[in-house]
Amino acid sequence: LLEQEVQLHRLRNAPEGTENALSMAFNPHYGSENILGQGIDVRGLPKVARESLKLVKALGQGAFGEVYQGLYLHCNSPEEMPVAVKTLPEMSTGQAEADFLMEAAIMAKFSHPNIVHLIGVCFDRHPRFIVLELLAGGDLKNFLRESRPRPERATALTMQDLLQSSLDVCRGCRYLEGSPVHTQVLPVQELLQSSLDVCRGCRYLEARRFIHRDIAARNCLLTSRGPGRAVKIADFGMARDIYRADYYKKGGKAMLPIKWMPPEAYIDGLFTCKTDVWSFGVLMWEVFSLGVMPYTGCSNREVMEMVSGGGRLEKPFGCPQEVYRLMCECWNPSPAARPSFTAMQERLQRFMQDPEILSAPIPVVRSLLPPADVH
Ligand code: ADP
């Protein structure tokens, strides 16, 4: 593990555009059966028979290939089980194939209700498949954004529609101003519940000393959108990429989730479980601002300067003070002073019993933000 951190340190300190430092950081353990002693076993992965899978429809595009919704008929059950199937295109490089398998191997290590469950892999022929439990509710960030109290927006792209939708939103906002009942689209209790779900998943990872490195609303998926939904940590792409020499070159310099990272990570290359605690604070901020991009309008460089100088995200509009205080504790400059996920789970559970917090009006986002944020 120490070696991994040293490599990271070297990566972070490499001047921009230094290709040499990146290739020097090649990890000699990559591809071995039991990577870095973390018990990541790529051969012992559960197998799924190709014939028992039916692909139903496309769900989206992943880093490697298309992700499909599918049905899985397993031998000891007459019921077909809804699944998500990640595919690796036939033309992929050996490196992509190894990365793809690595992600499955990481997920295979975990079994927790707030972490996506790996059903198995299908690596006998092309296209390669990773079969996961289906999380039908989409990602947390979009869910939050789509749950914002506002009228329906027009989808056609004419100027008239744009003006009309602005007018609709204007009317809606005017209405919302005078209508507290209508703003209760997503009660505070549900916001707390999503934070608690992710916290439970993080607590489990913390206990196994696993550093996720990319806790953010976009990387959590929902089992469904309706009542009784659960949020699960679903993307282990960053933890996977850490085994690569060039993991943050993909798609340019902007691949590191700077806005979710604590200063010691981008200054000293130091990653610990307390890295995830900081990110979790940012995720809570995303949740209580209903999916606003943290530090909206600031570049990564500006955020790094601001945050290492002591600046922090402001309290989301309408967010209860105690909830904001918990976020701020996650952003303590000293990693050791940040709370553990165990302590945070207790705090969140207490908040969910507190009538004063539960009766707080839901935060209303009045501005029209662009539909998609990237980091
Ligand atoms: P990336 O590889 O870029 O991190 P993913 O492969 O995780 O992206 O996901 C690509 C798309 O597939 C996303 O739209 C995501 O919501 C969807 N997806 C991924 N895993 C699941 C799942 N278990 N259930 C439902 N949808 C999923």
Side-chain angles (χ1 to χ4, degrees), residues 59-64 67 84 86 116 132-136 221 235:
L59 279 174
Q61 187 69 34
F64 297 99
V67 181
K86 287 193 173 197
V116 67
L132 302 167
E133 70 170 308
L134 180 72
L135 296 171
L221 297 180
D235 192 311

Side-chain angles (χ1 to χ4, degrees), residues 49-225:
R50 204 169 281 270
E51 317 76 70
S52 58
L53 277 176
K54 249 189 284 178
L55 302 189
V56 177
K57 64 168 188 181
L59 279 174
Q61 187 69 34
F64 297 99
E66 204 83 43
V67 181
Y68 293 90
Q69 186 174 328
L71 288 168
Y72 172 47
L73 187 68
H74 38 164
C75 34
N76 34 16
S77 162
E79 294 274 309
E80 282 183 321
M81 175 191 201
V83 290
V85 182
K86 287 193 173 197
T87 64
L88 182 75
E90 198 160 337
M91 300 307 289
S92 303
T93 60
Q95 184 67 75
E97 184 154 328
D99 283 354
F100 190 67
L101 194 57
M102 175 68 69
E103 192 170 318
I106 291 172
M107 291 189 284
K109 282 171 38 117
F110 308 124
S111 168
H112 187 272
N114 297 109
I115 293 175
V116 67
H117 173 63
L118 174 90
I119 293 162
V121 297
C122 198
F123 267 64
D124 55 342
R125 275 183 285 126
H126 290 284
R128 312 286 198 218
F129 292 153
I130 291 178
V131 186
L132 302 167
E133 70 170 308
L134 180 72
L135 296 171
D139 76 87
L140 176 61
K141 179 158 180 139
N142 274 318
F143 170 71
L144 291 164
R145 297 174 76 94
E146 285 157 23
S147 302
R148 289 177 185 171
R150 61 186 173 199
E152 294 295 314
R153 270 191 264 165
T155 48
L157 289 172
T158 64
M159 185 56 78
Q160 193 189 2
D161 287 333
L162 293 183
L163 287 169
Q164 185 59 53
S165 56
S166 307
L167 182 62
D168 285 348
V169 176
C170 176
R171 283 198 180 114
C173 289
R174 213 180 124 203
Y175 172 74
L176 291 174
E177 265 175 17
S179 164
V181 178
H182 193 73
T183 64
Q184 294 292 335
V185 172
L186 203 63
V188 169
Q189 190 171 11
E190 306 211 6
L191 300 182
L192 282 170
Q193 185 62 55
S194 345
S195 306
L196 185 57
D197 283 345
V198 181
C199 184
R200 286 202 174 105
C202 288
R203 185 186 164 190
Y204 174 84
L205 296 177
E206 181 185 63
R208 317 192 130 220
R209 307 197 186 291
F210 183 87
I211 313 168
H212 182 280
R213 297 166 198 264
D214 201 6
I215 296 293
R218 62 180 174 277
N219 291 332
C220 298
L221 297 180
L222 287 87
T223 50
S224 73
R225 294 207 156 200

